[in-house]
Amino acid sequence: MRRGCISLGNINCDQCGRAILYPERYLFVEEKGKNKTICMECSQKKNLVKPENDKEGAEMLFDLSDQ
């Protein structure tokens, strides 16, 4: 299961280890009982985000499908 969340400031990325500060967005992934927290930059590197629409400058949204 994947969830897009907003940090309250006490979270670190499990990929790069950097602090995810308030009000940054992050992806919470639960797979086989293991939880992962992934920052927006690492999510982009892993292609877990997609643009909101085709317009240039569109906001990036998390891909919440479990594929």
Side-chain angles (χ1 to χ4, degrees):
M1 176 177 64
R2 296 181 187 174
R3 285 185 207 171
C5 302
I6 297 175
S7 174
L8 295 177
N10 56 353
I11 298 171
N12 292 323
C13 177
D14 291 331
Q15 298 291 314
C16 66
R18 82 167 183 85
I20 304 172
L21 305 174
Y22 174 80
E24 291 182 60
R25 297 184 302 156
Y26 67 95
L27 184 64
F28 179 81
V29 181
E30 182 181 356
E31 294 176 343
K32 301 176 186 172
K34 295 182 182 179
N35 299 333
K36 291 184 183 178
T37 302
I38 306 172
C39 68
M40 179 61 91
E41 291 81 17
C42 291
S43 296
Q44 288 175 331
K45 290 176 186 175
K46 296 183 106 189
N47 294 322
L48 296 174
V49 294
K50 58 185 175 186
E52 180 179 21
N53 55 40
D54 293 335
K55 295 180 183 177
E56 189 170 326
E59 186 175 346
M60 299 302 284
L61 302 175
F62 292 112
D63 181 10
L64 301 178
S65 63
D66 285 330
Q67 297 180 4

